[in-house]
Amino acid sequence: MKIIVAGQTRTADLGAAVRADAARRPVGPKPGTLPESISALRLRQMASEADYLAELLRLLRYRDNVDTLPFDIPRKTGLAGGAMARFRAVLWKLLRYQHDRISGRQNMINNLYSSALEFEHQQHQRELCELRDRLARLEARPPDRPEGPAP
Amino acid sequence: MTRPRLDQLLAGYADGDAISRQAVILRDLFRGWGHPADIFADPAHVSPTLRADCRPLADYAGASGDVALHHYGLASHAAEVFAACAARKILAYHNITPPEFFRGYDDAVVRQLADAQAQVAALARRVEAVWAVSNYDAADLAARGVTGVRAFPLIFTPAAMDLAPDPVLMSRLPAPLKTLLSVGRLAPNKRIEDVIQAFALYHYRINPFSRLIIVGSDRSCPRYCTMLKMLIGDLDVPNVCFEGFASPAGLVAYYKLADVFVSASAHEGYGLPLVEAMYHGVPVIARHAGGTSEALGQAGVLYEDLGAAELAELIHRVLDDQPLRADILASQQRRLRELAERPLEQELRALLANFLPAP
């Protein structure tokens, strides 16, 4: 770690304080974390656009459903903050049933889109393989007539 | 006595692009000195709003007495026209992003950048002068065997920033939230994912009444933007606003709204947005990489090797520790004074001394 403030190296004091604060801060359920095997950051490690697309389709499968259960209502401090948070919680309870019906339908559509993309990708891959095989066979075939100027 | 033409050749000409902005400033200066001067760019890469402000590359016919200045950051048709022309040549090097950053995101850009890396040294040997926009870039060229490179840093013009902020944006983003700002095209070398991860921790562990505004075109690497949006979903972090390309007045509005400017860019030729943020009194936190330290000078905050949680805490300190914030802002004011005192015309005349007749 190195921190420079206004041209002065402050790693020893500010850096140490920052590190201590980071270690001391209570860890909550958020921000969300996913296993490394399905993290979006895996897309940084792809070798080509083709690899990227294949990986993106795989990762999409883990994300095409919205989960509305862990819904956070931020709360400001003080009496007004508490009252506002309670008001929002009541509103959310009232709206939740309709909201879940809509999100359920949206999830279904997302799922169908993921499937359609996968099918399209598989079909393209299959067609590409067939074309490559065909090209390889054509290139391996002996020429129909000898090369060179016509007699 | 006829003054020689001083033309500039660009791969593209676009609003908000640092190279284009530099070219306009130089063209206006050259014209002010009495030289005929135009910008020539590939029409396929010119913003529709700027078509009348430049000329097509095909029209360029530099004669032996003229001077051609090519801004180079990518292998392009402009470089071919430049290499083939009869004019006296100056290469202005704007850094080539290492192709590894784009691997997996854009195969064509990887090839273009690799070609540019392979060509730049050969091109530099065929010109009379080579300028680089930072000492970092000059060192990069020296490592490729190019000698005699002279640094000519990107020009910051406060006039471009002295605009009224876009009122629509100011009214659209009025909430009293702590605002983190990132400005720059969305490309993998900018490491915007690091800013997002730090913001997620800041938002959930330190201050939920906060937002991250990301300003910059998403056209240069759409697959990278897709990764960023997926990451935001994974982190389940709200208040991350992708604002896309900003007009000059829009950019001013974002700087006015910002409480801190954060750049995690891992490769930067110079970093003009850092200077713009300083101009608007926004404290700057930037990764110490490439030319960022030259843009900041002895100002702002530079960091190396910070994890996301540590960067979140550093952001918190800069936002809430008033003496620290005051120190940073004072250092930025000093840096702006240095930049304002830069003898630009004198610098440029010295660089062009061998190309222009004595006044």
Side-chain angles (χ1 to χ4, degrees):
Chain A
M1 174 199 282
K2 187 172 183 183
I3 296 178
I4 302 167
V5 178
Q8 306 292 315
T9 301
R10 298 279 303 272
T11 314
D13 59 337
L14 183 60
V18 157
R19 184 173 283 162
D21 287 349
R24 205 171 30 237
R25 194 75 65 182
V27 177
K30 296 277 184 75
T33 49
L34 289 176
E36 209 175 304
S37 60
I38 57 167
S39 163
L41 295 174
R42 281 184 61 83
L43 293 171
R44 295 195 299 189
Q45 298 155 18
M46 298 300 112
S48 67
E49 285 178 18
D51 288 356
Y52 178 98
L53 179 59
E55 186 66 4
L56 179 65
L57 288 176
R58 188 182 77 83
L59 296 179
L60 265 183
R61 267 288 172 217
Y62 294 94
R63 292 164 171 84
D64 58 7
N65 273 279
V66 177
D67 181 7
T68 58
L69 279 176
F71 185 80
D72 274 347
I73 296 171
R75 186 188 187 286
K76 269 192 173 174
T77 52
L79 202 63
M84 186 53 84
R86 273 197 294 281
F87 175 63
R88 284 178 176 167
V90 170
L91 270 185
W92 177 231
K93 267 187 187 168
L94 285 172
L95 293 172
R96 172 142 215 159
Y97 173 70
Q98 293 299 339
H99 181 273
D100 281 2
R101 278 182 59 196
I102 297 165
S103 66
R105 287 177 68 179
Q106 183 64 56
N107 283 342
M108 189 183 69
I109 292 165
N110 292 350
N111 203 269
L112 294 173
Y113 267 121
S114 298
S115 299
L117 280 171
E118 275 178 4
F119 299 155
E120 193 187 10
H121 183 59
Q122 284 164 5
Q123 190 181 334
H124 282 161
Q125 291 300 308
R126 198 167 45 244
E127 285 170 0
L128 194 64
C129 281
E130 284 168 9
L131 282 170
R132 278 189 182 138
D133 285 350
R134 202 169 155 210
L135 190 63
R137 279 200 305 277
L138 283 169
E139 282 177 345
R141 214 165 72 175
D144 290 340
R145 59 167 187 264
E147 284 181 14
Chain B
M1 184 181 64
T2 314
R3 291 175 189 271
R5 290 192 63 86
L6 279 169
D7 292 313
Q8 296 174 82
L9 278 61
L10 275 68
Y13 188 46
D15 291 307
D17 168 50
I19 295 178
S20 302
R21 232 181 300 167
Q22 175 99 340
V24 170
I25 296 166
L26 292 179
R27 179 193 61 189
D28 294 348
L29 262 173
F30 297 154
R31 284 180 178 172
W33 294 351
H35 292 270
D38 279 313
I39 291 170
F40 291 84
D42 186 344
H45 302 289
V46 174
S47 296
T49 51
L50 293 175
R51 286 206 179 119
D53 196 46
C54 68
R55 295 173 60 183
L57 265 180
D59 286 1
Y60 184 68
S64 56
D66 298 339
V67 179
L69 172 63
H70 174 45
H71 296 269
Y72 190 87
L74 206 62
S76 69
H77 181 48
E80 291 165 18
V81 173
F82 173 70
C85 77
R88 301 179 71 188
K89 297 181 188 74
I90 302 170
L91 184 73
Y93 180 61
H94 288 261
N95 201 277
I96 300 165
T97 307
E100 298 76 48
F101 282 110
F102 283 83
R103 187 147 294 133
Y105 293 121
D106 196 322
D107 295 347
V109 170
V110 169
R111 280 193 297 275
Q112 265 184 311
L113 292 169
D115 287 350
Q117 282 185 333
Q119 288 169 8
V120 67
L123 187 60
R125 284 188 203 102
R126 294 172 62 182
V127 304
E128 286 186 55
V130 183
W131 303 348
V133 297
S134 63
N135 288 313
Y136 168 76
D137 285 348
D140 179 40
L141 278 179
R144 295 174 199 281
V146 182
T147 53
V149 182
R150 298 174 73 180
F152 181 63
L154 281 181
I155 303 163
F156 171 66
T157 45
M161 290 274 111
D162 284 334
L163 299 170
D166 183 337
V168 177
L169 280 176
M170 294 301 282
S171 59
R172 186 165 68 77
L173 297 162
L177 302 174
K178 285 285 184 201
T179 302
L180 282 67
L181 178 67
S182 162
V183 175
R185 71 194 175 100
L186 307 189
N189 57 304
K190 305 287 182 185
R191 294 289 290 267
I192 294 162
E193 62 272 32
D194 292 358
V195 181
I196 291 171
Q197 286 175 298
F199 171 71
L201 289 163
Y202 176 77
H203 180 84
Y204 279 119
R205 294 187 186 169
I206 301 171
N207 182 2
F209 299 96
S210 53
R211 71 180 152 211
L212 170 62
I213 296 180
I214 299 170
V215 179
S217 169
D218 55 4
R219 285 170 50 202
S220 67
C221 194
R223 288 180 186 83
Y224 177 64
C225 298
T226 299
M227 186 278 282
L228 293 179
K229 285 172 186 170
M230 188 178 269
L231 176 66
I232 290 165
D234 289 358
L235 296 166
D236 195 13
V237 57
N239 298 3
V240 179
C241 320
F242 283 96
E243 296 292 302
F245 172 77
S247 66
L251 198 54
V252 173
Y254 294 120
Y255 284 123
K256 296 271 180 227
L257 288 163
D259 293 294
V260 65
F261 183 96
V262 187
S263 164
S265 183
H267 183 88
E268 201 68 52
Y270 184 75
L272 209 51
L274 309 183
V275 181
E276 293 172 351
M278 291 197 289
Y279 183 73
H280 287 284
V282 183
V284 174
I285 302 175
R287 189 194 297 270
H288 192 186
T292 50
S293 59
E294 287 177 60
L296 282 181
Q298 304 281 302
V301 182
L302 287 166
Y303 73 87
E304 287 174 27
D305 303 324
L306 286 194
E310 292 159 342
L311 182 55
E313 294 294 344
L314 181 61
I315 291 167
H316 175 48
R317 291 253 169 183
V318 171
L319 285 170
D320 280 22
D321 182 336
Q322 290 310 318
L324 176 67
R325 192 177 173 85
D327 278 356
I328 294 166
L329 290 174
S331 71
Q332 295 185 174
Q333 286 306 312
R334 286 194 296 275
R335 175 62 179 148
L336 286 169
R337 280 197 293 277
E338 280 171 22
L339 291 172
E341 287 161 10
R342 181 180 172 192
L344 182 63
E345 286 210 28
Q346 209 179 315
E347 226 176 281
L348 202 52
R349 281 193 186 278
L351 285 168
L352 288 166
N354 294 335
F355 292 87
L356 304 179

